[in-house]
Amino acid sequence: SSAASDVYKRQITARSYQNPFTPEMVMDGNFQTRWSSEFSDDQWLEVVYDEPIEIVGLKIHWETAYGRDYDLELKRPDDQWITKNQIRYADGGVDEIYFGPETIVGFRISGKKRGTGWGYSIWEIETLGPEQKIHVEANSQAQDHPAELALDGQSDTYWQSDDPRKGQPVLTLLLPGRIDIGGLRIEWAQEPSLPCVIEALSDGATWKTVMNK
């Protein structure tokens, strides 16, 4: 689902706002309206639903006054809040944050550091529904470290290949559709990072090498 089609009942609040840029404008389906906070780092925006929903991520459309550092917290049906992602050194524009399937009753964006001298300002937030799930496959995986852990949004879990004598390990991400990307950020579970080849499939038939490290 997206901000424009999200039909679930919800309440949207924030630590602060500047009239007329109120919190509910971040999910009104209008990219010409926005929420804007006061000018300090410790601001937050919270969305709470009347019933559980399933999402796999969020897409945040920042105005010029973006969040450089912020945490994304999820509220599960048992009312427990968890920190799902810690975003650091973001550069504004659109942040598409994928963390895999989650059943939630709310989410919160907790600001840590602003990217400008203004506050935080968001045009729109879109929820990514189950149809946007990225499928992760591997030709080799250790028993307690399956492939999907490479894309679960947690820095303390990881995919690990099985016995290297069984052949070159390959991890494949199958996207829900064709997208434009500028690159990949890989958090290796060990240092230093290992040599690898990154390939991209753009025409549905031919894999093209985009990096050979």
Side-chain angles (χ1 to χ4, degrees), residues 22-96:
T22 54
E24 62 270 13
M25 289 182 174
V26 300
M27 297 187 81
D28 64 356
N30 186 348
F31 284 86
Q32 302 302 313
T33 62
R34 61 188 173 95
W35 161 67
S36 182
S37 76
E38 293 180 350
F39 296 180
S40 67
D41 287 326
D42 56 344
Q43 298 291 325
W44 52 261
L45 178 89
E46 182 177 297
V47 178
V48 175
Y49 292 91
D50 289 356
E51 60 185 66
I53 68 168
E54 292 187 11
I55 63 173
V56 299
L58 293 175
K59 184 182 289 188
I60 304 172
H61 298 262
W62 293 98
E63 196 252 356
T64 302
Y66 67 94
R68 195 198 82 163
D69 300 346
Y70 60 94
D71 290 351
L72 175 60
E73 303 165 61
L74 303 181
K75 186 178 185 181
R76 289 179 167 162
D78 61 1
D79 289 334
Q80 176 188 6
W81 284 95
I82 64 166
T83 299
K84 192 63 178 178
N85 293 80
Q86 294 181 311
I87 309 300
R88 299 295 182 264
Y89 299 103
D91 57 1
V94 179
D95 287 346
E96 184 165 335

Side-chain angles (χ1 to χ4, degrees), residues 1-181:
S1 60
S2 68
S5 62
D6 194 336
V7 296
Y8 299 102
K9 292 183 179 179
R10 57 183 178 256
Q11 296 79 46
I12 305 177
T13 56
R15 179 172 184 178
S16 69
Y17 65 89
Q18 299 183 70
N19 275 320
F21 309 117
T22 54
E24 62 270 13
M25 289 182 174
V26 300
M27 297 187 81
D28 64 356
N30 186 348
F31 284 86
Q32 302 302 313
T33 62
R34 61 188 173 95
W35 161 67
S36 182
S37 76
E38 293 180 350
F39 296 180
S40 67
D41 287 326
D42 56 344
Q43 298 291 325
W44 52 261
L45 178 89
E46 182 177 297
V47 178
V48 175
Y49 292 91
D50 289 356
E51 60 185 66
I53 68 168
E54 292 187 11
I55 63 173
V56 299
L58 293 175
K59 184 182 289 188
I60 304 172
H61 298 262
W62 293 98
E63 196 252 356
T64 302
Y66 67 94
R68 195 198 82 163
D69 300 346
Y70 60 94
D71 290 351
L72 175 60
E73 303 165 61
L74 303 181
K75 186 178 185 181
R76 289 179 167 162
D78 61 1
D79 289 334
Q80 176 188 6
W81 284 95
I82 64 166
T83 299
K84 192 63 178 178
N85 293 80
Q86 294 181 311
I87 309 300
R88 299 295 182 264
Y89 299 103
D91 57 1
V94 179
D95 287 346
E96 184 165 335
I97 305 167
Y98 183 89
F99 43 73
E102 286 279 357
T103 300
I104 67 166
V105 291
F107 64 85
R108 182 192 296 135
I109 298 170
S110 294
K112 303 299 179 183
K113 187 173 182 61
R114 294 164 290 157
T116 70
W118 297 304
Y120 299 89
S121 186
I122 296 174
W123 290 112
E124 203 72 19
I125 298 174
E126 299 179 76
T127 56
L128 305 179
E131 71 280 359
Q132 297 295 315
K133 179 180 178 181
I134 299 174
H135 294 274
V136 187
E137 301 175 351
N139 66 347
S140 170
Q141 56 186 22
Q143 182 175 358
D144 297 326
H145 303 283
E148 56 264 24
L149 295 183
L151 209 65
D152 66 349
Q154 302 295 309
S155 59
D156 58 349
T157 61
Y158 55 93
W159 163 66
Q160 180 177 310
S161 63
D162 202 351
D163 191 336
R165 292 173 295 181
K166 296 180 179 180
Q168 186 70 30
V170 177
L171 181 73
T172 305
L173 308 183
L174 301 175
L175 305 178
R178 186 170 179 170
I179 63 171
D180 293 324
I181 63 173

